[in-house]
């Protein structure tokens, strides 16, 4: 009898060569990721993100950071973020849209999944891991109901053809499969289409072609998001009251005048109304026998009552009120404070930080030490009272913390004093790419020491670029006439001018050479 042949071990009994798992990246994966990125990107793009940047990527958008592991070791990965693509447009660069490894431009309310990085361990090439990562990105895009995926792909193969053809001709030949490009051919095979050819997309290509492609994958399941009520405003309507100083006999009479203007501006469905600095000075007629310093301290007794009345008006007329400014006297210290009375019934205050020489000598006013950024239902705003707007550092600090509108209540008695405030306010709008709303008082208060005459021409200023009025003035009042001013402010235009304007003051600052450091409190 012939001897039986030994049976070969079944494939099932052999040790498995790979055990791949698709999952999210974890902070503990950093060493694996760093080793891959340092290998893949060492020549062209300076290697891996730092550990802190990697951990922040996972922290702010864990769903977008994808890994493929093999037997517990990460062998490939993809880094992504979400952006509102209209804020960046097709002319962006890699560094400007990502903002660096910490992805500060990630926007959870955006509409586009943006591909930051894809990397595969070279030892695992041939397993089509890149396709798995791209398919996972598509799944993320669909589940988050995002409109599209955008990726920037450099063209490593074009370097060999730069003298023979244009980038457009090269891309067309790759699309027609006449040429092969290691990056573009892969992306086209994954259902991406070329959206635009750009140059200098990456900061330093280290000898490779400076051209790149922006590629797009459209989510056919995308559904427009619609928030029926309470959505974030993109156009904000502001009102300013150019206030007539006139004598009054009682607090109630002054309060009625305030309500008249609140009602007037609110009837235009405005989001904000701004009153001037020291708008309640007519109450000083009750104290005109006192010296100036004692009179304003007596006036300060009305401040809390007036603020509370204006909070009620804000709620009743559904409008946010910036009260101009009033005196606050507490613990034998006199300050000048402006209140934001929100239409939800809450209120906050901003002290004047720089008392003028006149305020110090006549009244003994001292400056505050806190700079506030105010969150409202119509955007993030700041308030600088009169003289404070003449210090450009304050507006810059507020803008660095995200305000779009700066309100400036002022009190000036002469035209040259007014022009100082006006020209500085307009400069703040232009240099910081924000809107500035300013208003003051007109008329006179006979027999009131240091507040007897007024000069004003209220105005709303804009950045200076093609999307805005040619003189960078959205609206301005007739000089020295009691009236209201209404203007619509498009916040999306601010985003556009900051990213794509003729000049980009905030974006182009040389922070390697200078910066502003705030030493006080910011709330």
């Amino acid at each position: 009898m012939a001897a039986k042949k030994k049976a070969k071990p079944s494939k099932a009994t052999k040790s498995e060569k790979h055990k791949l798992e698709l999952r999210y990246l974890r902070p503990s994966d950093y060493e694996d990721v760093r080793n891959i990125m340092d290998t893949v990107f060492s020549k062209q793009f300076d290697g891996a993100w730092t550990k802190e940047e990697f951990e922040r990527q996972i922290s702010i958008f864990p769903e977008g950071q994808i890994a493929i592991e093999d037997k517990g070791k990460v062998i490939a990965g993809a880094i992504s973020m979400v952006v509102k693509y209209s804020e960046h447009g097709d002319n962006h660069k890699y560094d400007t849209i990502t903002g660096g490894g910490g992805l500060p431009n990630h926007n959870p309310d955006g509409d586009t999944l943006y591909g930051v990085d894809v990397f595969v361990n070279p030892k695992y090439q041939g397993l089509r891991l890149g396709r798995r990562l791209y398919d996972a990105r598509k799944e993320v895009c669909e589940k988050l109901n995002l409109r599209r995926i955008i990726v920037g792909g450099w063209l490593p193969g074009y370097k060999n053809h730069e003298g023979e053809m244009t980038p457009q001709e090269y891309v067309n030949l790759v699309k027609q499969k006449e040429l092969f490009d290691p990056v573009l051919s892969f992306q086209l095979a994954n259902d991406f289409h070329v959206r635009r050819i750009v140059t200098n997309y990456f900061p330093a290509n280290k000898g490779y072609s400076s051209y790149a492609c922006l590629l797009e994958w459209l989510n056919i399941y995308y559904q427009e998001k619609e928030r029926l009520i309470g959505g974030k405003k993109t156009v904000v309507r502001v009102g300013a009251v150019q206030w007539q100083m006139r004598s009054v006999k009682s607090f109630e009479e002054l309060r009625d005048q305030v309500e008249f203007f609140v009602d007037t501006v609110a009837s235009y469905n405005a989001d904000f109304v701004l009153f001037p600095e020291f708008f309640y000075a007519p109450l000083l007629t009750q104290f005109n026998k006192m010296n100036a310093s004692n009179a304003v301290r007596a006036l300060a007794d009305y401040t809390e009552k007036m603020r509370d009345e204006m909070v009620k008006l804000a709620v009743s007329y559904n409008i946010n009120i910036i009260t101009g400014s009033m005196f606050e006297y507490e613990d034998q210290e006199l300050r000048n404070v402006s209140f934001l009375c929100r239409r939800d019934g809450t209120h906050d205050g901003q002290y004047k930080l720089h008392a003028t020489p006149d305020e110090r000598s006549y009244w003994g006013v001292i400056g505050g030490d806190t700079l506030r950024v105010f969150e409202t239902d119509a955007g993030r705003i700041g308030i600088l009272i009169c003289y404070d707007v003449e210090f450009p550092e304050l507006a810059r600090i507020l803008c660095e913390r995200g305000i779009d509108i700066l309100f400036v209540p002022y009190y000036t008695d002469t035209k040259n004093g007014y022009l100082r405030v006006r020209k500085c306010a307009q400069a703040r709008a232009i240099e910081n790419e924000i809107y500035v709303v300013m208003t003051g008082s007109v008329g006179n208060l006979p027999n009131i020491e240091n507040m007897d005459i007024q000069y004003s021409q209220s105005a709303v200023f804009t950045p200076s670029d093609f999307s805005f009025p040619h003189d960078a003035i959205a609206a301005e009042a007739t000089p020295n006439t009691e009236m209201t001013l209404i203007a619509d402010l498009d916040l999306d235009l601010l985003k556009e001018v900051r990213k794509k304007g003729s000049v980009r003051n905030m974006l182009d600052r040389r922070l390697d050479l200078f910066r502003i450091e705030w030493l006080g409190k910011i709330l």
Side-chain angles (χ1 to χ4, degrees), residues 85 88-93 150 195-198 214 500:
Y85 196 68
H88 303 277
D90 289 338
N91 291 322
H92 66 267
K93 310 297 183 190
I150 295 285
R195 181 180 173 104
R196 188 182 182 115
I197 299 173
V198 293
L214 291 180
K500 299 185 288 186

Side-chain angles (χ1 to χ4, degrees), residues 500-513:
K500 299 185 288 186
S502 302
V503 294
R504 298 149 201 175
N505 295 59
M506 294 296 285
L507 192 63
D508 290 340
R509 287 173 297 152
R510 289 290 305 275
L511 297 180
D512 57 323
L513 299 179

Side-chain angles (χ1 to χ4, degrees), residues 51 62 81 99 103 116 122 168 246 257 268 324 378 427:
K51 185 176 181 180
M81 59 190 282
L103 308 184
V116 177
Q168 291 80 2
R246 55 172 65 85
Q257 289 179 17
Y268 293 102

Side-chain angles (χ1 to χ4, degrees), residues 313-430:
L313 293 174
V315 174
S316 298
Y317 288 95
N318 191 29
I319 189 170
N320 299 300
I321 302 173
I322 294 98
T323 65
S325 78
M326 296 182 273
F327 291 105
E328 179 186 272
Y329 187 53
E330 188 174 321
D331 298 329
Q332 295 185 311
E333 292 182 338
L334 184 68
R335 290 185 173 86
N336 184 354
V337 60
S338 178
F339 293 105
L340 166 64
C341 302
R342 298 184 183 89
R343 51 187 163 193
D344 65 3
T346 61
H347 64 83
D348 278 308
Q350 172 65 61
Y351 290 106
K352 190 173 186 176
L353 303 184
H354 299 87
T356 65
D358 189 74
E359 287 173 311
R360 294 196 299 268
S361 63
Y362 266 89
W363 301 323
V365 174
I366 63 174
D369 60 6
T370 301
L371 191 60
R372 300 185 68 103
V373 173
F374 300 101
E375 299 287 350
T376 76
D377 59 5
R380 189 174 291 177
I381 69 165
I383 301 171
L384 293 179
I385 303 172
C386 197
Y387 191 33
D388 280 345
V389 82
E390 298 180 33
F391 296 84
E393 300 88 349
L394 299 180
R396 176 56 52 86
I397 290 167
L398 291 173
C399 292
E400 287 178 339
R401 284 154 179 80
I403 73 162
D404 290 319
I405 307 173
L406 177 64
F407 290 92
V408 181
Y410 64 87
Y411 165 88
T412 52
D413 54 352
T414 63
K415 186 172 182 178
N416 59 352
Y418 161 75
L419 288 176
R420 277 197 309 270
V421 177
R422 178 189 174 102
K423 291 183 181 296
C424 289
Q426 188 163 23
R428 303 297 85 86
I430 293 171

Side-chain angles (χ1 to χ4, degrees), residues 30-49 119:
Y30 178 70
E31 286 304 317
D32 288 344
V33 170
R34 182 179 64 80
N35 290 334
I36 300 171
M37 294 187 74
D38 281 344
T39 300
V40 175
F41 298 139
S42 60
K43 293 182 180 180
Q44 299 92 344
F45 305 113
D46 299 324
W49 302 115
F119 44 89

Side-chain angles (χ1 to χ4, degrees), residues 77-223:
I79 307 295
S80 306
M81 59 190 282
V82 176
V83 298
K84 186 174 181 182
Y85 196 68
S86 61
E87 295 180 358
H88 303 277
D90 289 338
N91 291 322
H92 66 267
K93 310 297 183 190
Y94 179 80
D95 283 349
T96 59
I97 195 167
T98 62
L103 308 184
N105 292 333
H106 171 70
N107 181 355
D109 298 322
D111 59 3
T112 299
L113 187 70
Y114 197 89
V116 177
D117 273 324
V118 170
F119 44 89
V120 177
N121 188 323
K123 296 179 181 179
Y124 289 80
Q125 288 181 354
L127 297 182
R128 297 179 181 268
L129 301 183
R131 181 178 291 275
R132 294 195 192 200
L133 293 170
Y134 268 60
D135 287 344
R137 276 181 171 170
K138 294 173 186 176
E139 187 177 352
V140 171
C141 184
E142 290 173 354
K143 289 186 175 179
L144 294 181
N145 190 35
L146 299 174
R147 186 186 297 273
R148 62 174 74 84
I149 303 174
I150 295 285
V151 297
W154 60 303
L155 302 173
Y158 181 59
K159 181 177 182 294
N160 300 323
H161 301 276
E162 280 191 281
E164 307 168 12
M165 62 187 74
T166 66
Q168 291 80 2
E169 290 171 335
Y170 176 79
V171 168
N172 286 333
L173 288 173
V174 173
K175 290 165 67 175
Q176 296 164 16
K177 302 188 185 301
E178 296 290 336
L179 292 174
F180 176 80
D181 184 275
V183 174
L184 180 57
S185 296
F186 165 77
Q187 291 163 328
L188 294 174
N190 280 280
D191 300 323
F192 281 72
H193 69 268
V194 176
R195 181 180 173 104
R196 188 182 182 115
I197 299 173
V198 293
T199 187
N200 297 321
Y201 173 75
F202 294 110
N205 48 57
K206 307 292 180 68
Y208 292 80
S209 169
S210 65
Y211 290 97
C213 280
L214 291 180
L215 295 108
E216 180 177 46
W217 178 84
L218 293 173
N219 176 13
I220 62 174
Y221 303 108
Y222 173 75
Q223 294 182 344

